[in-house]
């Protein structure tokens, strides 16, 4: 916060700002010095903000028509799809928006993993991010229950039953969550209330996330600390704003394609069958963004340990800033870490794949190996690697690299990134 | 870059494998007019499909989320307002209570929902050997494979292989999950007489009624396709404009963007 | 010269981008606004048919149309005469009784006080028509405002006699 002594040019602006320093805040946000070498992987923060706002706005509108009652929920969703003006559009944006939100958040998380953005002094940003991610999963899960289709009902049953794994009090907790002896009307209404609440909690946490970001400033692809403001930075507005807008539009084209041409491909056909507590669908599969954790859950043969493994897989990320012992942030200068990073990416993709498959035979075996590797990566590889890896030389500044050879390597990597991003998006 | 491509390929492969893995029997394909970026419904097919639904399927299958007015709405079968009124008036619905406190029957109006063949799920089950004939309003979206699946199922009846023994009232169908179905063969040549003179072959009826079911599941598909095209064109134009703006702005600093 | 040209082109791109962006935002906002308008199922209910065979002279019934009460009053000859004997000069909102009914015996109107939307009580008030209890508006036997804060007469909806026993409102 380098600009606390900002004075608005106009008299009325000064009068207002002395009483509520909103203009100081706005000035801080527009002038905020941002590293000028940020690549397109850094645009996903803005994209995520857009996703959150979209979900809140479309959700608010859907709430005007939706009825949280087991007898009416499914019909009210059909009413939205058939009769409400633009109801089909708003619902498809909301439903696919959830998937796009997760797509963006996964890219955002993996960008952080690659460039070491979670490391000191940005641990709090990272931990706030994990909490946001957890809340996103809760919101997405509860939202999926609301249409009261078969997958809604059975997804709710399976996930709430996870809590019954807790020794002694587990059954009590599950009954408490349900408000009855099975998933039923009380469950639906409380899920609706919480589904409405959580996005606003996320919004509050996002404010903290950005606040915490603005204390040390952005990390950057090179991963070195830079002087702010300096030759190495550009003001957030207009440079980063326009770049984020460009990336957002590319993202929106993909988003629009899903909404208008394949709006149901990311969902499950069974959710267009109204919930029936007497018949379980042949394959219960969560939404794609939860599949890796579902695979971890099923790969452990013990009920309690499966649940513990699943939650640990997420909570382990909280300890990441301390598990990764390397002093070097960016994977660009960590040749070995870079290899392990890509192996982790593939490992998570494999987990996602086997999560969608029946838990038997080869799939189960693969799931177990992949689960084991996931934990090995964070608990063993990262701490050991940080102490033993021989890293490449790091430039002293992003614009005036002292080590010519490295600087060349850096620049070409950066450009390659942009190019590949453009290709993969466009 | 190479790695990213590899990862992308891997995820596509995994996804494809997943998408294909469960289809034991390959679904029959036909040329749907509503597929593709500009897909539209074939009005005549929807009108014929409604005829098949109402003369054949409606004996057991409800369509509780449709109203008679939908038949005259744009993007659907587009019967004229008058035709739709006549269709509606052919059904009796329960209304009331009247001023004497009694329920009474009256001819249906455009605003009424499709009349259901059974009063409730239990009655439907009791009349159909314990199997509930599913509501057809969103059926085409509620089955994996969608329209292709329904079309295939309608034409998928066959003699059972030697190793499958069927109980009474159970039929063999190549495309049904588990291959056993309680619905008897629903269609046969010339089962209905089409008003527009189209020959009512089994395939024709299956195709028409499936189109009708696709429309009932996705009544705004045509608007969606049309709006989508405009939105994407607009987004592409705006993206180009923003790209040019970005280039201009970033030309003030030496860093490439 | 070329500098100026350069600048103009830059300005053009900025303006074009901003305009295109604004148009898009506007287009995206419209569905969010329009979803609050009456939906297709509500519009479909726009007409109601009423059986009036059991209404005796002097009686009135109230039916619901578009969620609002509609008064259907079978007027006695005395009430008709009373409504028709009033000179237009005495009226706050001058309308002939003949223009408010299709059949002199039957008065059909929205049972909503034009002041602030309460439902007036029938056979009450100083003019033997209707009286609104909320803020004291008096209506006559033609549903015209005679005294009180209401600005205009009670509204007559669109309706037709399908046959002598059936009225279709809307």
């Amino acid at each position: 916060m380098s600009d606390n002594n900002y004075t608005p040019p106009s008299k009325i602006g000064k009068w207002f700002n002395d009483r509520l320093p909103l203009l100081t805040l706005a000035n801080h946000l527009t002038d905020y010095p941002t590293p000028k070498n940020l690549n397109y992987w850094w645009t996903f923060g803005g994209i995520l903000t857009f996703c959150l706002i979209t979900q809140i706005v479309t959700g608010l509108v859907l709430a005007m028509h939706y009825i949280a009652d087991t007898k009416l929920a499914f019909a009210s969703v059909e009413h939205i799809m058939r009769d409400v003006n633009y109801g089909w559009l708003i619902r498809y944006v909301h439903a696919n928006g959830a998937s796009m939100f997760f797509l963006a958040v996964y890219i955002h998380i993996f960008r952080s993993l690659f460039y070491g953005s979670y490391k000191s002094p940005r641990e709090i940003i990272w931990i706030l991010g994990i909490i946001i991610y957890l809340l996103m999963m809760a919101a997405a899960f509860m939202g999926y229950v609301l249409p009261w289709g078969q997958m809604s009902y059975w997804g709710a049953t399976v996930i709430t039953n996870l809590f019954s794994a807790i020794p002694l009090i587990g059954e009590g907790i599950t009954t408490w969550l349900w408000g009855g002896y099975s998933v039923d009307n009380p469950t639906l209404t409380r899920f609706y209330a919480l589904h409405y609440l959580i996005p606003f909690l996320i919004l509050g946490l996002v404010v903290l996330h950005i606040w915490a970001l603005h204390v040390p400033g952005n990390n950057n692809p090179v991963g070195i600390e830079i002087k702010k403001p300096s030759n190495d930075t550009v003001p957030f507005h207009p440079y980063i704003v326009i770049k984020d807008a460009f990336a957002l539009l590319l993202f929106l084209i993909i988003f629009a394609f899903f909404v208008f041409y394949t709006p149901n491909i990311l969902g499950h056909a069974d959710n267009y069958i109204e919930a029936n507590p007497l018949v379980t669908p042949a394959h219960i599969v969560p939404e794609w963004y939860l599949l890796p954790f579902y695979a971890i859950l099923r790969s452990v043969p013990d009920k309690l340990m499966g649940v513990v493994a699943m939650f640990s897989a997420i909570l382990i990320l909280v300890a990441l800033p301390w598990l990764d012992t390397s002093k070097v942030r960016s994977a660009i200068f960590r040749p070995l870490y870079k290899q392990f990073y890509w192996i982790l990416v593939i490992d998570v993709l494999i987990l996602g794949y086997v999560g969608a498959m029946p838990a038997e035979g080869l799939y189960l075996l693969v799931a177990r190996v992949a689960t084991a590797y996931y934990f090995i990566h964070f608990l063993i590889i990262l701490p050991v690697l940080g102490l033993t890896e021989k890293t490449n030389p790091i430039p002293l500044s992003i614009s005036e690299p002292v080590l010519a050879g490295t600087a060349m390597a850096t620049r070409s990597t950066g450009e390659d990134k942009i190019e590949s991003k453009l290709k993969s998006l466009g | 870059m190479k790695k990213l491509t590899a990862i992308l390929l891997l995820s596509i492969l995994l996804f494809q494998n997943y998408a294909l893995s469960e289809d034991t029997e390959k679904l029959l394909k036909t040329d749907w007019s509503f597929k593709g970026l500009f897909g539209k419904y074939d009005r005549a097919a929807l009108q014929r499909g409604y005829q098949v639904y109402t003369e054949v399927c409606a004996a057991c299958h409800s369509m509780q989320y449709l109203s008679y007015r939908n038949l005259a709405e744009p993007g659907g079968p587009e019967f004229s307002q008058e035709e739709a009124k006549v269709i509606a008036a052919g059904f009796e619905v329960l209304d009331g209570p009247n001023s004497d406190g009694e329920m009474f029957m009256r001819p249906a109006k455009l605003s009424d929902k499709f009349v259901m063949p059974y009063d409730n799920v239990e009655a439907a089950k009791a009349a159909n050997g314990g199997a509930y004939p599913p509501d057809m309003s969103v059926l085409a979206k509620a089955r994996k494979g969608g329209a292709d699946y329904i079309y295939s199922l309608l034409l998928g009846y066959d003699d059972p292989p030697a190793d499958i023994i069927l109980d009474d009232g159970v039929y063999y169908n190549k495309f049904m999950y588990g291959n056993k179905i309680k619905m008897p063969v629903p269609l046969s040549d010339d089962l209905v007489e089409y008003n527009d003179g189209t020959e009512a072959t089994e395939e024709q009826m299956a195709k028409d009624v499936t189109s009708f079911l696709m429309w009932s599941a996705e009544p705004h598909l045509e608007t969606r396709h049309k709006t989508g095209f405009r939105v994407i064109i607009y987004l592409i134009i705006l993206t180009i404009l923003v790209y040019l703006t970005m280039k201009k702005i970033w030309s003030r600093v030496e860093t490439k963007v | 010269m070329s500098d100026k040209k350069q600048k103009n082109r830059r300005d053009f791109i900025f303006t074009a981008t901003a305009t295109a962006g604004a148009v898009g935002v506007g287009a995206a906002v419209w569905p969010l606004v329009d979803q609050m308008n009456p939906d297709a199922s509500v519009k479909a209910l726009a007409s109601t048919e009423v059986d009036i065979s059991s209404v005796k002279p002097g009686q009135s019934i109230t039916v619901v149309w578009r969620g609002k009460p509609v008064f259907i009053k079978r007027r006695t000859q005395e009430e008709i005469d009373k409504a028709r004997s009033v000179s237009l000069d005495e009226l706050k909102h001058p309308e002939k009784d003949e223009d408010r009914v299709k059949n002199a015996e039957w008065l059909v109107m929205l049972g909503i006080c034009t002041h602030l939307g309460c439902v007036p009580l029938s056979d009450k008030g100083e003019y033997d028509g209707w009286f609104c209890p909320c803020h004291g508006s008096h209506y006559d036997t033609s549903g015209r405002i005679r005294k009180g804060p209401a600005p205009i007469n009670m509204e007559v909806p669109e309706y037709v006699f399908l046959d002598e026993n059936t009225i279709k409102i809307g």
Side-chain angles (χ1 to χ4, degrees):
Chain A
M1 302 273 181
S2 54
D3 39 15
N4 273 343
N5 38 23
Y6 166 77
T7 318
S10 73
K11 232 177 167 180
I12 183 153
K14 192 176 173 307
W15 179 88
F16 182 83
N17 206 48
D18 286 345
R19 283 148 184 85
L20 179 65
L22 263 188
L23 295 169
T24 303
L25 178 66
N27 178 259
H28 162 77
L29 291 176
T30 52
D31 283 357
Y32 171 66
T34 319
K36 64 181 176 186
N37 64 333
L38 295 187
N39 57 35
Y40 280 93
W41 299 113
W42 258 268
T43 59
F44 281 88
I47 289 173
L48 283 162
T49 313
F50 173 85
C51 286
L52 177 61
I53 304 291
T54 306
Q55 290 305 90
I56 289 178
V57 170
T58 52
L60 174 78
V61 164
L62 290 171
M64 295 180 188
H65 304 281
Y66 171 77
I67 301 165
D69 181 305
T70 53
K71 289 194 182 62
L72 300 169
F74 192 85
S76 73
V77 172
E78 278 309 309
H79 170 66
I80 292 168
M81 292 298 289
R82 289 164 192 278
D83 293 334
V84 173
N85 304 321
Y86 295 101
W88 59 271
L89 175 60
I90 295 161
R91 173 164 176 264
Y92 277 153
V93 168
H94 196 72
N96 285 285
S99 279
M100 300 311 286
F101 204 160
F102 274 96
L103 176 69
V105 92
Y106 282 128
I107 295 174
H108 194 63
I109 291 172
F110 275 95
R111 188 270 291 154
S112 182
L113 290 178
F114 189 85
Y115 295 107
S117 303
Y118 48 84
K119 291 186 197 184
S120 172
R122 299 186 178 82
E123 301 95 322
I124 298 294
I125 313 175
W126 171 256
I127 291 168
L128 284 168
I130 301 295
I131 299 172
I132 292 171
Y133 173 53
L134 276 171
L135 285 176
M136 276 175 65
M137 289 202 277
F141 158 65
M142 290 183 193
Y144 199 57
V145 174
L146 302 185
W148 208 243
Q150 274 287 66
M151 277 293 161
S152 303
Y153 183 87
W154 291 102
T157 302
V158 168
I159 301 292
T160 47
N161 262 313
L162 290 179
F163 295 91
S164 71
I166 303 167
L168 299 175
I169 53 166
E171 291 292 336
I173 290 181
T174 311
T175 312
W176 175 75
L177 284 173
W178 288 339
Y181 301 102
S182 65
V183 173
D184 209 335
N185 208 48
T187 326
L188 178 62
T189 48
R190 67 191 57 179
F191 276 20
Y192 182 45
L194 293 172
H195 181 71
Y196 205 121
L197 167 72
I198 290 173
F200 296 98
L201 297 181
I202 293 177
L203 190 64
L205 284 163
V206 166
V207 171
L208 295 183
H209 191 67
I210 295 173
W211 186 1
L213 170 71
H214 281 224
V215 176
N218 288 70
N219 184 27
N220 65 75
V222 181
I224 53 171
E225 286 302 327
I226 51 173
K227 263 185 74 191
K228 289 165 276 241
S230 73
N231 239 356
D232 290 343
T233 65
V234 288
F236 189 77
H237 180 77
Y239 293 93
I240 302 299
V241 168
I242 192 72
K243 191 172 167 182
D244 279 1
F246 174 61
L248 173 64
L249 281 164
L250 293 176
F251 183 80
L252 278 181
I253 291 173
I254 301 172
F255 194 160
F257 188 82
F258 275 110
V259 167
F260 291 105
Y261 292 108
T262 55
N264 292 309
I265 199 165
L266 296 169
H268 201 290
D270 281 285
N271 223 30
Y272 280 107
I273 303 172
E274 193 168 0
N276 180 353
L278 304 179
V279 184
T280 307
H283 300 288
I284 295 217
V285 192
E287 292 289 84
W288 68 268
Y289 40 79
L290 302 176
L291 286 173
F293 301 106
Y294 193 57
I296 292 175
L297 168 77
R298 295 192 306 179
S299 68
V300 183
D302 178 77
K303 184 174 177 179
L304 176 61
M305 290 321 287
V307 176
V308 169
M310 187 182 75
F311 282 109
S312 308
I314 304 166
L315 294 177
I316 204 171
L317 296 173
V318 174
L320 179 61
W322 297 276
L323 287 171
D324 184 352
T325 49
S326 176
K327 293 275 173 284
V328 178
R329 287 205 191 96
S330 175
I332 292 174
F333 307 106
R334 300 182 62 191
L336 272 176
Y337 172 73
K338 205 196 264 182
Q339 306 296 327
F340 284 112
Y341 169 84
W342 288 113
I343 294 173
L344 178 73
V345 173
I346 293 167
D347 186 60
V348 171
L349 282 175
I350 289 173
L351 278 172
Y353 173 70
V354 292
M357 289 296 159
E360 56 196 29
L362 185 63
Y363 293 128
L364 193 57
L365 183 68
V366 172
R368 286 181 176 160
V369 172
T371 301
Y373 182 80
Y374 181 91
F375 286 103
I376 289 170
H377 175 92
F378 288 106
L379 292 176
I380 298 171
I381 295 175
L382 282 189
V384 174
L385 202 60
L387 301 174
T388 57
E389 185 180 26
K390 190 179 175 317
T391 55
N392 293 341
I394 299 163
L396 293 176
S397 138
I398 60 172
S399 54
E400 294 149 39
V402 173
L403 302 149
T406 324
M408 285 304 289
T410 312
R411 176 166 305 166
S412 71
T413 322
E415 282 175 14
D416 191 25
K417 279 270 133 50
I418 294 167
E419 200 182 279
S420 71
K421 180 69 197 163
L422 280 172
K423 274 190 189 144
S424 65
L425 284 183
Chain B
M1 185 63 211
K2 266 184 237 154
K3 268 176 199 141
L4 203 64
T5 321
I7 300 268
L8 221 70
L9 277 176
L10 180 76
S11 21
I12 291 169
L13 270 175
L14 289 177
F15 183 74
Q16 263 197 341
N17 189 19
Y18 165 63
L20 295 177
S21 60
E22 282 174 68
D23 295 345
T24 39
E25 190 81 27
K26 235 177 152 35
L27 296 177
L28 305 178
K29 298 278 174 191
T30 185
D31 51 327
W32 300 114
S33 66
F34 48 80
K35 286 267 159 78
L37 254 55
F38 303 100
K40 280 184 176 186
Y41 292 115
D42 173 353
R43 308 271 168 252
L46 292 191
Q47 296 200 357
R48 290 195 300 270
Y50 172 69
Q51 195 183 342
V52 176
Y53 166 73
T54 199
E55 288 178 23
V56 182
C57 320
C60 303
H61 292 275
S62 59
M63 267 189 138
Q64 56 176 325
Y65 299 116
L66 265 76
S67 303
Y68 293 106
R69 67 184 157 83
N70 295 137
L71 294 172
E73 280 168 2
E78 295 190 2
F79 286 105
S80 71
Q81 203 76 17
E82 292 314 308
E83 285 172 320
K85 273 183 190 167
V86 172
I87 288 171
F91 296 89
E92 291 267 293
V93 295
L94 186 67
D95 200 351
N98 61 14
S99 46
D100 299 327
E102 279 162 11
M103 304 301 280
F104 59 93
M105 298 301 283
R106 61 159 172 82
K109 294 187 281 195
L110 286 182
S111 55
D112 286 314
K113 297 268 185 217
F114 275 24
V115 172
M116 310 231 278
Y118 304 104
D119 290 341
N120 52 55
V121 172
E122 295 311 318
K125 273 188 189 167
N128 289 283
Y132 168 60
D135 183 83
M136 282 183 160
S137 315
V138 269
L139 195 68
K141 284 198 290 190
R143 295 290 180 274
K144 214 179 158 196
D148 288 332
Y149 172 80
I150 292 174
Y151 179 71
S152 304
L153 185 96
L154 287 172
L155 300 173
Y157 286 84
D158 211 343
D159 291 329
D163 58 328
I164 293 185
I165 296 145
L166 298 172
D167 294 334
D168 269 358
V170 179
Y171 305 87
Y172 179 80
N173 190 306
K174 277 187 286 190
F175 302 102
M176 181 74 184
Y177 184 75
N179 296 124
K180 291 179 184 170
I181 188 167
K182 286 205 166 175
M183 175 169 72
V185 186
L187 301 173
S188 56
D189 288 347
D190 298 317
L191 187 63
V192 299
E193 195 181 324
Y194 278 136
N195 298 327
D196 64 0
T198 308
E199 196 185 340
T201 61
E202 207 181 330
E203 285 82 11
Q204 184 68 44
M205 284 187 282
K207 193 176 168 184
D208 290 343
V209 80
T210 305
S211 297
F212 178 72
L213 292 180
M214 190 64 217
W215 164 74
S216 77
E218 200 61 19
H220 296 293
L221 175 137
E222 290 187 12
T223 325
R224 174 154 64 74
H225 284 174
K226 215 160 53 188
T227 317
F229 184 70
R230 288 183 193 152
V231 166
I232 288 174
I233 292 291
Y234 165 78
L235 284 174
I236 290 172
I237 293 171
L238 187 64
T239 306
I240 294 168
L241 283 171
V242 167
Y243 177 76
L244 294 175
T245 306
M246 178 175 75
K247 280 288 184 193
K248 289 275 181 207
I249 290 176
W250 278 79
S251 66
R252 297 173 203 162
V253 289
E254 82 281 17
T255 312
K256 275 197 177 177
V257 69
Chain C
M1 181 63 202
S2 81
D3 238 29
K4 204 176 170 195
K5 223 178 188 173
Q6 187 74 24
K7 192 165 182 293
N8 281 343
R9 213 171 89 209
R10 183 179 302 174
D11 288 344
F12 169 73
I13 285 171
F14 289 174
T15 317
T17 309
T19 314
V23 169
V25 170
V29 166
W30 172 243
L32 302 173
V33 174
D34 191 36
Q35 53 87 20
M36 295 225 280
N37 279 322
D39 66 46
S41 62
V42 172
K43 284 182 198 150
L45 294 172
S47 70
T48 310
E49 286 172 24
V50 190
D51 179 12
I52 51 170
S53 57
S54 57
V55 184
K56 298 191 179 63
Q59 277 188 333
S60 82
I61 56 170
T62 307
V63 296
V64 179
W65 175 64
R66 287 186 178 171
K68 293 183 278 198
V70 173
F71 293 153
I72 300 178
K73 166 116 187 176
R74 185 168 184 181
R75 298 188 293 185
T76 58
Q77 194 54 47
E78 188 191 344
E79 285 169 325
I80 298 170
D81 294 343
K82 200 168 175 188
R84 299 204 162 171
S85 62
V86 181
S87 123
L88 285 185
D89 301 340
E90 293 173 40
L91 298 173
K92 190 171 178 182
H93 175 199
E95 262 187 318
K96 280 201 217 159
D97 182 64
E98 287 85 340
D99 296 337
R100 290 178 55 82
V101 293
K102 294 205 163 146
N103 173 338
E105 203 179 4
W106 296 95
L107 175 65
V108 179
M109 62 183 182
L110 282 186
I112 292 180
C113 178
T114 56
H115 181 219
L116 291 169
C118 296
V119 179
L121 306 168
S122 57
D123 301 320
K124 290 259 161 62
E126 293 173 15
Y127 298 87
D128 300 325
W130 285 266
F131 171 70
C132 182
C134 289
H135 307 98
S137 291
H138 298 259
Y139 295 89
D140 66 13
T141 55
S142 187
R144 293 174 296 201
I145 179 67
R146 299 298 289 273
K147 189 178 171 188
I152 55 173
N153 304 336
M154 281 196 266
E155 196 186 325
V156 177
E158 218 173 272
Y159 67 95
V160 285
F161 281 89
L162 294 179
D163 55 58
E164 61 186 49
N165 286 327
T166 318
I167 297 179
K168 184 185 168 201
I169 307 168

